Amino acid sequence: MGKVGAGGGSPAGLSALLAGAGLLVLCVPGACCGGSCCPQLPPGSAPGWAATPGGFVGRGPRGRAAATPLPLLGRPLFAVAPGDRALSLERAPGTAAFVAMAPRAGRRRRSEAEPGKADRGEGASRSPRGMLRDGGQPGPGTLERDPDKATRFRMEELRLTSTTFALTGDSAHNQAMVHWSGHNSSVILILTKLYDYNLGSITESSLWRSTDYGTTYEKLNDKVGLKTILSYLYVCPTNKRKIMLLTDPEIESSLLISSDEGATYQKYRLNFYIQSLLFHPKQEDWILAYSQDQKLYSSAEFGRRWQLIQEGVVPNRFYWSVMGSNKEPDLVHLEARTIDGHSQYLTCRMQNCTEANRNKPFPGYIDPDSLIVQDDYVFVQLTSGGRPHYYVSYRRNAFAQMKLPKYALPKDMHVISTDENQVFAAVQEWNQNDTYNLYISDTRGVYFTLALENVQSSRGPEGNIMIDLYEVAGIKGMFLANKKIDNQVKTFITYNKGRDWRLLQAPDTDLRGDPVHCLLPYCSLHLHLKVSENPYTSGIIASRDTAPSIIVASGNIGSELSDSDISMFVSSDAGNTWRQIFEEEHSVLYLDQGGVLVAMKHTSLPIRHLWLSFDEGRSWSKYSFTSIPLFVDGVLGEPGEETLIMTVFGHFSHRSEWQLVKVDYKSIFDRRCAEEDYRPWQLHSQGEACIMGAKRVYKKRKSERKCMQGKYAGAMESEPCVCTEADFDCDYGYERHSNGQCLPAFWFNPSSLSKDCSLGQSYLNSTGYRKVVSNNCTDGVREQYTAKPQKCPGKAPRGLRIVTADGKLTAEQGHNVTLMVQLEEGDVQRTLIQVDFGDGVAVSYVNLSSMEDGIKHVYHNVGIFRVTVQVDNGLGSDSAVLYLHVTCPLEHVHLSLPFVTTKNKEVNATAVLWPSQVGTLTYVWWYGNNTEPLITLEGSISFKFTSEGMNTITVQVSAGNAILQDTKSIAVYEEFRSLRLSFSPNLDDYNPDIPEWRRDISRVIKKSLVEATGVPGEHILVAVLPGLPTAAELFVLPYQDPAGESKRSAEDLEQISELLIHKLNQNSVHFELKPGVQILVHAAHLTAAPLVDLTPTHSGSAMLMLLSVVFVGLAVFVIYKFKRKIPGINVYAQMQNEKEREMVSRVSPTESRPHIPQTELRRPGQLIDEKVDSQLIGE
């Protein structure tokens, strides 16, 4: 599977990005270029949605394979870490100097003291793209300035309660990692380090601890060892009192463990070097450790003792069991490499992972770096035939192949979310390059339907794919996405998990209250949804579970998303309306459960002020947090929901000590809030109160009250809504048309849902709709749109296949081969199955259920064996044949021959191979009703058909122990007509040029021709040709009904041909490829097949004259009118619906393999005489 992840940021912004990571790492401005001087991102360290080449990872912390300390990135940044987080800071290499953050290119700078004022002359007017703005005095018909809608800034400077502490003696240290222990804890730990960029290692370290919320700090170097150099700091996510320190592996490999929030430590030696750690989600003492030599260890004593689990583990591909899905809490899921380099999915117990106790939930190998365990789902990828196939296990049941629309043909897939028992995936399809389509699944994660097309993507600093999708915190089903339309990126919003999307309405006024003219859909608000290149900065969009109505983001107003003219916007009604709050980018924190917003400006200059808003961004007050301007490097918020204490990290000058400013916001509140300080607020979408099937009312603090909210109360009330059509999405295989109806796609057969059904049982017959997952609506149209149980119809067997369990056509002599019998439809409970292995052994079974594990058989002789299976259930019968080569494996061959030919006319059949050079080959040909094959050493033969009807030809190619087979059908008639068809140019945009697509489109074209002309379908054969532009061949065939009445005459065929041409020329033949895409079918030109003279033989000059007239007439007819080659020769072979182009030899088949007349074909006996090792069936 491609990398799984999303770059749009976590639902709760940075807080979700940092969840469970233990530490936040910040880089103070360094002089490095592009981050090359800083340590790279440790594998598995990013807990947010991220993707890297070679497999897929999920969203953290559940989707994270490993918990490592967060990375140090060599670029200036401003970071904010709300909640129980930690920071890491970094200075420029080689010096003690700090370099402040440089402004982003294209961003206009503003005065810090006047954030609402632009640096331009008074009265000037600026108009972002796609937006008209009034400037100067309003004239007739214009909108006047509305002071009430302007964002208000109080310029009077207020003072926050703060203290400053300097980490004395660490001025040379250029990295720092900071951790706030936990909720209701006053302990903060700081690890500072001197990283030598020339040596590539840490040369000094210091450990600091505060017990008074960061007012003062104590240096703990003597408690961990004065000569000990520390590299990383970990905190147990389920017990923040437990701390783990790693020493620098260049000096020693040891652990220092504390159980009292870092007050005292015990040191333990290790016999391996830790690369990353993964803590158990419930058991505080259980840890997995991944070593630098790709071994996985476990500890049940918080690192005091370790036990080897598995060698050769793939980095970041190990997981703890998920509670609820696994009964054993100590079960470990991992991906391991075999000796020969393959990857396999294993599970075992942490303290008992011997070879005998390991399980393999997925049979066979998987693609390297493709295992992910996330919530109730397990995903793996397996590539076969050059295409990736994705498999999912729901609640640890058997794996099932994930079903996307038939012609999605994914190149890459990213699992974005598995919340609420549903999979949200981003898929890059065969015709996409920088965009992805969003798909949403059913509960099992098997059947996917389209949610949004062409979502913008980009690459992160580690090569990971970032998807422009953002899940808004606090409101389930609400997402923001940036969609690419005609090379313009626009922001869309959904409130029902992608069922409906709309553009964002721009603010009515700008920052000063000036009217903004922005008319949908030509102009709208666009937001930046990507997280920063450093995943541990504050981000450019934020929302919180405790403030479900408030969204803060950077963006612009206009026709498309832009990197210039960036402003800050806020929505206080869950994305319905927006207000501009700053004309420059700011980092915004949520205090007091979102009751107070804190904004700190992105700037390269030292600052001493920040801005507070008590009314959801409508007005802002200016506060100073330090008396001396500070170069800000990062911010760490107090753990918990309230977040009333904040620590600002920075430096006063380029050579100063680390400065830690503790800011206490409690003084800005008058009192605790009472019930009368709140007002109700109802969630809605453009006035529609039913969101995800329910009406939800929340309580908000009144904007004029400055009281402290306390604990978050959530929604005041929730009431289910009556179900409407808007609560249902299209089911798998259905597409929504312009009239709102969900109708079957052209490739989908609704009756296929009952194919595994037996008489007397029932199945769910889809109505074309399925309820949006997590939608809480009741009654209404729910019964009408819900799939109905339906009795299984009694069906005769159809679509019988017999294959080997591994899909190959070879078996080893003396070893078990497992044969699988597959039936597309039919009553399997009342079925008699007879299997003949072709070696004198035959078996019978009463029903298919007794053969679920396959049929095992051992062949004792080498050769080609004809395995036949016959199925009979009283309503009908079906049979299938498998030609099994014992000890002769092979792969990929394509049989090229005409669609239609004339009786007694020589036909050329050619086996085209890919790759073309595969060594010595043996070709085995089966055609007609022959019981013996024809075996050749050349890849092309010629033969004739002496009777009319449909004939099947099979070729098998053997090279060593590899075999490939292909089967084609050819129609044989005395005479027929053919017509070349062309199509509307827009069909080429949807043509992936694969055989399955051509077969389905041929069926749709034939149906359209029958409907337009009334010609019976038995007279028409349509074959779409490979390549672009898209073309097809239409054959008009004679037909003899089952009663034995005579076939159509040549005049009848001519009349049918003229009727078809007439309808085609009138543009009467067309079909709908997908909603809104109409395809018109055109006629190119007609070709007459050679007519065979059936009259008695004539003699003399009369016969000679008659033949001359016939040949001259035919020549004139063919050359001047129809201008086509005579069908039945090589031209038809070139039109055959070929397989993928990469399977075609680079050398022309006619050049590399001469045709062999049938008389020159060697019989098996001749080959045996020439010591060709081949055995006939039954021998």
Side-chain angles (χ1 to χ4, degrees):
M1 198 175 214
K3 294 305 293 185
V4 174
S10 66
L14 186 66
S15 62
L17 274 175
L18 302 175
L23 296 175
L24 169 66
V25 180
L26 285 182
C27 298
V28 168
C32 322
C33 177
S36 59
C37 61
C38 295
Q40 295 298 314
L41 181 70
S45 62
W49 296 338
T52 53
F56 60 89
V57 296
R59 193 188 63 183
R62 290 184 299 268
R64 238 174 51 194
T68 66
L70 305 189
L72 298 171
L73 300 179
R75 64 181 295 272
L77 61 98
F78 180 94
V80 181
D84 96 82
R85 304 292 175 261
L87 299 174
S88 173
L89 313 175
E90 184 176 3
R91 301 193 186 196
T95 70
F98 295 93
V99 181
M101 182 165 125
R104 180 180 293 180
R107 185 199 311 164
R108 297 189 178 184
R109 308 303 300 172
R110 304 286 183 266
S111 168
E112 183 206 349
E114 299 177 311
K117 184 176 180 180
D119 52 358
R120 55 182 184 269
E122 292 298 326
S125 175
R126 181 177 57 151
S127 298
R129 280 181 290 175
M131 181 183 69
L132 300 176
R133 176 175 297 159
D134 291 337
Q137 296 296 325
T142 63
L143 298 175
E144 297 186 9
R145 172 179 295 181
D146 187 352
D148 294 334
K149 293 187 177 181
T151 302
R152 299 182 297 277
F153 292 89
R154 180 180 176 182
M155 305 312 297
E156 176 188 355
E157 181 177 309
L158 304 175
R159 176 73 182 176
L160 290 169
T161 302
S162 65
T163 59
T164 303
F165 186 86
L167 300 184
T168 306
D170 288 351
S171 60
H173 290 193
N174 52 12
Q175 295 180 358
M177 307 178 74
V178 190
H179 169 74
W180 202 318
S181 183
H183 186 47
N184 295 328
S185 174
S186 60
V187 176
I188 301 177
L189 293 173
I190 301 178
L191 173 63
T192 65
K193 300 177 289 184
L194 173 58
Y195 186 85
D196 191 316
Y197 292 95
N198 295 321
L199 298 177
S201 61
I202 302 168
T203 57
E204 294 180 17
S205 67
S206 296
L207 182 64
W208 299 80
R209 184 173 185 262
S210 171
T211 58
D212 52 10
Y213 290 94
T215 303
T216 60
Y217 289 83
E218 176 190 3
K219 198 169 188 177
L220 303 182
N221 282 26
D222 56 337
K223 295 186 178 181
V224 299
L226 294 175
K227 295 184 179 180
T228 299
I229 299 178
L230 303 174
S231 59
Y232 292 109
L233 186 156
Y234 290 87
V235 181
C236 176
T238 54
N239 184 354
K240 301 297 174 63
R241 296 180 58 83
K242 292 189 174 183
I243 309 296
M244 183 179 293
L245 298 171
L246 291 184
T247 60
D248 183 11
E250 297 289 335
I251 307 300
E252 61 175 328
S253 182
S254 299
L255 283 176
L256 287 94
I257 298 174
S258 171
S259 299
D260 52 10
E261 293 186 287
T264 59
Y265 293 89
Q266 293 178 312
K267 193 171 186 178
Y268 296 87
R269 298 282 184 178
L270 298 174
N271 58 1
F272 62 95
Y273 297 99
I274 293 178
Q275 180 172 318
S276 59
L277 296 177
L278 181 63
F279 294 89
H280 194 277
K282 297 293 183 180
Q283 301 292 331
E284 60 185 55
D285 290 333
W286 293 3
I287 308 174
L288 297 178
Y290 186 73
S291 68
Q292 296 181 2
D293 56 354
Q294 298 186 345
K295 295 179 181 179
L296 187 65
Y297 296 83
S298 68
S299 173
E301 303 176 49
F302 199 74
R304 293 173 177 84
R305 291 184 179 85
W306 296 91
Q307 179 175 331
L308 177 65
I309 293 182
Q310 175 70 34
E311 298 183 2
V313 177
V314 177
N316 308 322
R317 294 294 173 258
F318 50 93
Y319 309 85
W320 285 111
S321 63
V322 178
M323 304 306 294
S325 295
N326 295 106
K327 296 180 180 179
E328 306 90 355
D330 62 341
L331 190 67
V332 178
H333 303 257
L334 58 92
E335 178 184 334
R337 290 194 177 96
T338 61
I339 298 177
D340 54 1
H342 293 99
S343 288
Q344 55 185 355
Y345 168 30
L346 305 176
T347 60
C348 63
R349 310 289 286 271
M350 62 176 291
Q351 297 294 320
N352 188 20
C353 196
T354 62
E355 183 68 31
N357 293 319
R358 296 188 190 115
N359 294 318
K360 299 178 182 179
F362 186 83
Y365 299 125
I366 63 175
D367 285 358
D369 202 22
S370 72
L371 171 69
I372 178 172
V373 180
Q374 186 165 305
D375 294 327
D376 288 334
Y377 302 90
V378 179
F379 303 94
V380 296
Q381 173 181 319
L382 181 63
T383 300
S384 62
R387 295 186 195 171
H389 301 279
Y390 307 103
Y391 295 85
V392 61
S393 167
Y394 177 60
R395 292 185 175 176
R396 310 305 181 259
N397 292 315
F399 278 88
Q401 186 170 350
M402 298 165 68
K403 301 291 186 180
L404 293 166
K406 187 172 182 179
Y407 296 114
L409 303 179
K411 298 188 296 186
D412 190 21
M413 177 182 286
H414 304 261
V415 172
I416 294 174
S417 169
T418 53
D419 294 340
E420 300 177 336
N421 294 324
Q422 190 172 38
V423 180
F424 217 143
V427 177
Q428 188 171 64
E429 301 186 10
W430 63 274
N431 56 352
Q432 292 179 306
N433 294 316
D434 59 349
T435 60
Y436 283 74
N437 289 347
L438 295 181
Y439 285 91
I440 196 163
S441 79
D442 60 350
T443 300
R444 294 172 52 234
V446 175
Y447 292 98
F448 285 78
T449 56
L450 182 66
L452 185 65
E453 291 183 299
N454 296 320
V455 177
Q456 181 70 10
S457 70
S458 60
R459 287 201 173 270
E462 299 296 318
N464 51 303
I465 297 295
M466 312 295 286
I467 309 295
D468 273 16
L469 177 71
Y470 182 82
E471 183 177 6
V472 178
I475 303 177
K476 66 178 182 179
M478 184 176 175
F479 290 84
L480 292 161
N482 283 332
K483 179 179 180 179
K484 193 172 185 180
I485 305 175
D486 296 330
N487 292 322
Q488 290 185 326
V489 178
K490 301 175 184 287
T491 302
F492 287 77
I493 189 170
T494 180
Y495 293 87
N496 52 11
K497 277 196 171 181
R499 196 277 190 195
D500 301 291
W501 297 83
R502 63 173 174 83
L503 293 166
L504 296 180
Q505 177 65 60
D508 296 331
T509 61
D510 65 3
L511 197 64
R512 298 163 192 78
D514 291 333
V516 175
H517 296 266
C518 187
L519 181 64
L520 291 173
Y522 310 103
C523 171
S524 59
L525 175 64
H526 310 285
L527 304 178
H528 291 275
L529 305 180
K530 294 189 293 289
V531 295
S532 171
E533 289 183 0
N534 181 344
Y536 310 110
T537 63
S538 61
I540 48 184
I541 183 169
S543 59
R544 294 291 181 272
D545 287 322
T546 56
S549 64
I550 303 175
I551 309 171
V552 182
S554 67
N556 64 279
I557 300 173
S559 60
E560 63 176 320
L561 184 65
S562 171
D563 288 328
S564 60
D565 294 325
I566 297 177
S567 299
M568 297 297 298
F569 298 88
V570 64
S571 174
S572 57
D573 57 4
N576 286 281
T577 61
W578 295 81
R579 295 187 305 277
Q580 185 182 13
I581 54 176
F582 296 105
E583 286 185 322
E584 289 184 307
E585 285 190 74
H586 284 62
S587 292
V588 179
L589 293 84
Y590 289 65
L591 297 182
D592 189 30
Q593 305 175 34
V596 178
L597 299 178
V598 180
M600 193 174 291
K601 182 177 167 184
H602 283 281
T603 177
S604 60
L605 302 175
I607 59 175
R608 53 187 294 268
H609 302 104
L610 49 77
W611 297 87
L612 295 181
S613 174
F614 289 84
D615 54 6
E616 300 174 338
R618 293 179 179 84
S619 62
W620 296 84
S621 298
K622 182 179 180 182
Y623 286 81
S624 63
F625 63 92
T626 177
S627 57
I628 304 174
L630 184 75
F631 290 95
V632 177
D633 303 319
V635 180
L636 180 64
E638 176 190 13
E641 296 176 345
E642 296 182 2
T643 313
L644 297 176
I645 298 177
M646 186 173 70
T647 301
V648 181
F649 303 87
H651 51 282
F652 291 138
S653 68
H654 292 292
R655 296 186 179 274
S656 70
E657 313 282 353
W658 292 94
Q659 304 294 327
L660 284 74
V661 181
K662 171 190 173 184
V663 183
D664 192 338
Y665 292 95
K666 295 178 181 177
S667 61
I668 66 176
F669 298 100
D670 300 332
R671 55 184 171 80
R672 284 274 181 178
C673 292
E675 191 65 30
E676 59 270 15
D677 295 313
Y678 294 93
R679 63 179 177 87
W681 173 78
Q682 184 169 32
L683 174 65
H684 66 95
S685 169
Q686 300 295 299
E688 173 56 54
C690 287
I691 303 294
M692 292 292 287
K695 297 179 181 178
R696 293 179 178 86
V697 178
Y698 298 82
K699 66 177 185 180
K700 284 189 175 186
R701 191 186 61 194
K702 297 177 181 179
S703 59
E704 66 273 11
R705 309 293 172 87
K706 290 190 177 181
C707 56
M708 187 185 306
Q709 294 194 100
K711 188 173 181 179
Y712 174 63
M716 290 178 58
E717 59 184 53
S718 178
E719 176 187 351
C721 297
V722 174
C723 291
T724 67
E725 190 269 342
D727 297 306
F728 291 82
D729 206 349
C730 291
D731 204 350
Y732 174 78
Y734 291 80
E735 297 175 334
R736 191 175 301 280
H737 288 242
S738 57
N739 59 2
Q741 288 186 322
C742 293
L743 300 176
F746 76 93
W747 49 266
F748 182 66
N749 180 15
S751 65
S752 63
L753 298 176
S754 63
K755 66 180 183 180
D756 297 326
C757 208
S758 297
L759 189 64
Q761 297 178 341
S762 61
Y763 71 101
L764 289 177
N765 187 17
S766 176
T767 62
Y769 299 84
R770 71 183 183 195
K771 191 178 177 183
V772 175
V773 175
S774 301
N775 186 294
N776 296 321
C777 73
T778 59
D779 300 328
V781 300
R782 184 177 65 173
E783 184 66 22
Q784 175 185 347
Y785 281 77
T786 302
K788 306 293 190 302
Q790 186 169 323
K791 291 294 183 180
C792 300
K795 292 184 178 181
R798 189 183 68 84
L800 181 66
R801 296 180 61 213
I802 180 168
V803 296
T804 58
D806 57 6
K808 296 180 180 179
L809 297 173
T810 61
E812 290 188 40
Q813 180 184 5
H815 290 74
N816 266 322
V817 56
T818 303
L819 300 172
M820 309 297 294
V821 177
Q822 301 171 352
L823 189 64
E824 285 190 9
E825 65 179 41
D827 190 352
V828 297
Q829 297 299 326
R830 298 174 177 84
T831 301
L832 175 65
I833 304 101
Q834 297 179 351
V835 182
D836 187 340
F837 296 104
D839 61 349
V841 178
V843 294
S844 298
Y845 297 88
V846 176
N847 56 60
L848 283 177
S849 59
S850 60
M851 305 165 56
E852 290 180 351
D853 296 330
I855 307 170
K856 299 186 183 299
H857 185 67
V858 177
Y859 286 92
H860 299 285
N861 297 316
V862 176
I864 308 170
F865 297 90
R866 189 174 188 264
V867 184
T868 60
V869 58
Q870 178 82 21
V871 175
D872 191 339
N873 68 356
L875 299 175
S877 62
D878 197 4
S879 62
V881 177
L882 172 68
Y883 301 107
L884 186 65
H885 292 241
V886 178
T887 68
C888 294
L890 190 78
E891 214 175 345
H892 302 313
V893 66
H894 162 63
L895 178 59
S896 176
L897 75 161
F899 294 105
V900 185
T901 187
T902 53
K903 187 174 64 173
N904 294 320
K905 185 67 178 180
E906 189 172 78
V907 176
N908 299 315
T910 301
V912 182
L913 307 180
W914 183 85
S916 58
Q917 301 298 324
V918 291
T920 303
L921 303 175
T922 301
Y923 297 85
V924 183
W925 304 87
W926 309 78
Y927 65 94
N929 296 320
N930 291 358
T931 57
E932 280 191 3
L934 296 176
I935 302 177
T936 71
L937 299 178
E938 300 292 340
S940 184
I941 64 171
S942 299
F943 50 87
K944 298 178 182 179
F945 289 102
T946 58
S947 61
E948 292 182 297
M950 297 300 297
N951 290 271
T952 299
I953 301 176
T954 298
V955 62
Q956 293 177 327
V957 185
S958 173
N961 61 348
I963 291 179
L964 182 71
Q965 173 178 303
D966 194 15
T967 301
K968 289 290 185 300
S969 296
I970 184 173
V972 180
Y973 294 98
E974 290 183 350
E975 56 183 340
F976 60 92
R977 299 292 186 272
S978 67
L979 177 66
R980 179 65 65 93
L981 302 178
S982 59
F983 306 90
S984 306
N986 57 342
L987 182 58
D988 293 344
D989 298 335
Y990 303 94
N991 184 354
D993 200 19
I994 61 173
E996 297 94 324
W997 186 89
R998 291 193 288 270
R999 284 196 293 268
D1000 282 340
I1001 292 297
S1002 298
R1003 176 175 50 82
V1004 173
I1005 298 169
K1006 178 178 178 179
K1007 180 180 177 182
S1008 301
L1009 288 167
V1010 171
E1011 292 175 351
T1013 63
V1015 175
E1018 293 82 0
H1019 288 290
I1020 296 176
L1021 174 64
V1022 178
V1024 176
L1025 307 179
L1028 294 174
T1030 308
E1033 191 78 10
L1034 168 61
F1035 295 95
V1036 182
L1037 307 175
Y1039 173 70
Q1040 184 172 2
D1041 61 20
E1045 294 182 5
S1046 60
K1047 297 172 294 183
R1048 295 276 184 171
S1049 64
E1051 292 78 7
D1052 292 334
L1053 294 181
E1054 191 66 28
Q1055 290 177 1
I1056 295 175
S1057 301
E1058 291 175 357
L1059 175 59
L1060 290 169
I1061 295 174
H1062 177 69
K1063 291 295 184 179
L1064 290 167
N1065 291 337
Q1066 286 186 331
N1067 295 332
S1068 299
V1069 183
H1070 53 80
F1071 60 91
E1072 188 178 52
L1073 185 67
K1074 61 186 300 184
V1077 180
Q1078 285 287 337
I1079 305 299
L1080 191 63
V1081 185
H1082 307 280
H1085 47 270
L1086 186 69
T1087 299
L1091 302 179
V1092 179
D1093 185 10
L1094 301 179
T1095 59
T1097 304
H1098 297 273
S1099 60
S1101 60
M1103 174 58 68
L1104 181 59
M1105 181 179 298
L1106 178 58
L1107 291 177
S1108 301
V1109 170
V1110 168
F1111 283 118
V1112 171
L1114 283 177
V1116 172
F1117 182 81
V1118 171
I1119 296 174
Y1120 290 97
K1121 182 175 181 180
F1122 303 105
K1123 301 178 180 178
R1124 286 288 307 270
K1125 291 185 178 181
I1126 295 175
I1129 56 175
N1130 290 339
V1131 61
Y1132 283 97
Q1134 296 166 6
M1135 291 185 241
Q1136 178 68 16
N1137 50 342
E1138 299 164 319
K1139 297 193 176 181
E1140 306 297 314
R1141 290 184 176 178
E1142 62 267 20
M1143 296 176 58
V1144 179
S1145 170
R1146 296 181 180 178
V1147 181
S1148 170
T1150 57
E1151 296 174 354
S1152 59
R1153 293 174 175 85
H1155 295 173
I1156 304 175
Q1158 187 172 2
T1159 54
E1160 296 180 14
L1161 291 173
R1162 303 185 183 186
R1163 294 289 171 179
Q1166 295 175 282
L1167 291 175
I1168 293 175
D1169 294 341
E1170 296 179 13
K1171 299 183 180 181
V1172 176
D1173 187 12
S1174 175
Q1175 179 174 330
L1176 294 181
I1177 294 174
E1179 291 188 10

